[in-house]
């Protein structure tokens, strides 16, 4: 069965520290998609990245980077030089069904960045 | 790019009252549409999704229903609200084969 696990419930760091948010997934399919979303205090989910199962290249976008490893079924997210504005809940999600696009979300990790 | 509108933004309703939450989408045609609920500020639960007008799939048996009367309109309803229906309701849109994008959400408090 599909499952996404974000074992870290809450993380607190001081500004400028690097922080990694873990995501482990389970799926039966060979074709699937992984996502990260950010939920700031306002509540709206903001899309950060989508990765398909055939693309294991790591990606960097500014201070954000993602490490996808099929061997360990992980899709971890690192924020370099964290800032207070990075404080939010971060969700990892998995989709197996391209037609329906149904997402299975992890429980989220609350990141608090202190000044 | 698409824009997703949800209203109302906040709603306080008594137990047993009806509910209607609306989601409309601009900037795309024939998208998949989704309703999620987030309780206690944590995980998101998929409630309904729709791949076309009049096509609704329910993920969780419950007190709620959904309808899609137009291509870019998705409505979440209830005839009688329960206390457990309180939560943050998010509508999402997926242009064909791409990524889900979320609306601003509706905070519902049932008293």
């Amino acid at each position: 069965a599909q499952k996404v696990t974000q074992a870290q419930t809450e993380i607190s760091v001081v500004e400028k520290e690097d922080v990694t948010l873990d995501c482990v997934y389970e799926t039966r399919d060979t074709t699937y998609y992984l996502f990260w979303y950010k939920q700031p205090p306002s509540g709206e989910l903001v899309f950060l990245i989508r990765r398909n199962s055939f693309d294991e290249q790591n990606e960097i976008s500014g201070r954000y980077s993602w490490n996808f490893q099929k061997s360990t079924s992980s899709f971890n997210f690192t924020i370099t030089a964290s800032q207070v504005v990075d404080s939010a809940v971060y969700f990892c999600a998995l989709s197996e069904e391209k037609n329906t696009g149904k997402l299975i979300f992890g429980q989220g990790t609350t990141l608090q960045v202190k000044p | 790019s698409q824009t997703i509108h949800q209203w109302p933004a906040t709603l306080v309703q008594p137990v047993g009252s009806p509910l209607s939450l609306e989601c409309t989408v601009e900037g795309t045609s024939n998208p998949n549409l989704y309703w999620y609920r987030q309780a206690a500020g944590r995980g998101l639960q998929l409630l309904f999704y729709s791949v076309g007008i009049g096509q609704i799939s329910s993920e969780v048996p419950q007190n709620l229903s959904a309808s899609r009367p137009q291509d870019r309109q998705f409505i979440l309803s209830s005839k009688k609200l329960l206390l457990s229906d309180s939560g943050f309701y998010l509508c999402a849109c997926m242009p064909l084969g791409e990524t889900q994008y979320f609306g601003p959400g509706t905070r519902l408090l049932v008293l």
Side-chain angles (χ1 to χ4, degrees):
Chain A
Q2 307 170 63
K3 186 178 179 182
V4 177
T5 302
Q6 295 179 254
Q8 304 150 308
T9 304
E10 294 185 14
I11 300 176
S12 181
V13 300
V14 176
E15 207 169 17
K16 297 185 182 177
E17 287 184 10
D18 298 348
V19 57
T20 295
L21 309 181
D22 297 332
C23 174
V24 174
Y25 62 92
E26 296 176 27
T27 178
R28 300 161 297 190
D29 279 3
T30 56
T31 301
Y32 52 90
Y33 300 86
L34 295 165
F35 302 80
W36 276 95
Y37 287 88
K38 174 183 180 179
Q39 187 177 40
S42 62
E44 181 173 351
L45 263 73
V46 178
F47 166 72
L48 296 178
I49 190 172
R50 179 179 85 153
R51 174 66 78 225
N52 74 53
S53 53
F54 298 108
D55 183 2
E56 283 195 77
Q57 277 194 329
N58 291 333
E59 179 152 341
I60 298 175
S61 176
R63 296 185 296 107
Y64 294 172
S65 62
W66 291 270
N67 184 349
F68 176 28
Q69 291 195 342
K70 289 178 74 170
S71 60
T72 56
S73 298
S74 65
F75 186 42
N76 296 337
F77 173 31
T78 297
I79 302 175
T80 301
S82 60
Q83 300 176 2
V84 173
V85 293
D86 295 327
S87 298
V89 182
Y90 291 86
F91 290 96
C92 180
L94 164 71
S95 175
E96 288 180 348
E97 303 175 41
K98 187 175 181 182
N99 288 339
T100 66
K102 288 161 51 176
L103 289 176
I104 304 298
F105 282 89
Q107 286 302 298
T109 297
T110 300
L111 174 64
Q112 183 181 31
V113 181
K114 299 178 181 177
Chain B
S1 64
Q2 67 287 319
T3 302
I4 304 164
H5 302 281
Q6 287 188 245
W7 63 87
T10 305
L11 190 60
V12 180
Q13 292 284 94
V15 169
S17 63
L19 174 73
S20 181
L21 302 182
E22 189 163 345
C23 170
T24 58
V25 179
E26 295 176 354
T28 185
S29 296
N30 196 30
N32 285 5
L33 297 174
Y34 309 83
W35 278 112
Y36 291 87
R37 177 169 60 201
Q38 186 177 33
R42 293 304 304 216
L44 291 101
Q45 180 184 40
L46 177 63
L47 301 176
F48 301 94
Y49 70 92
S50 171
V51 299
I53 296 175
Q55 301 179 59
I56 308 295
S57 296
S58 174
E59 289 295 296
V60 182
Q62 59 205 321
N63 184 42
L64 302 169
S65 61
S67 61
R68 185 171 178 174
Q70 300 180 46
D71 181 44
R72 288 172 285 182
Q73 184 184 29
F74 204 23
I75 297 172
L76 184 68
S77 303
S78 174
K79 292 182 179 179
K80 288 185 177 182
L81 282 169
L82 306 173
L83 286 173
S84 57
D85 291 324
S86 293
F88 187 49
Y89 288 83
L90 285 157
C91 176
C93 158
M94 186 178 83
L96 197 59
E98 296 185 12
T99 296
Q100 283 190 36
Y101 298 94
F102 286 78
T106 294
R107 296 192 185 278
L108 171 66
L109 178 60
V110 182
L111 299 175

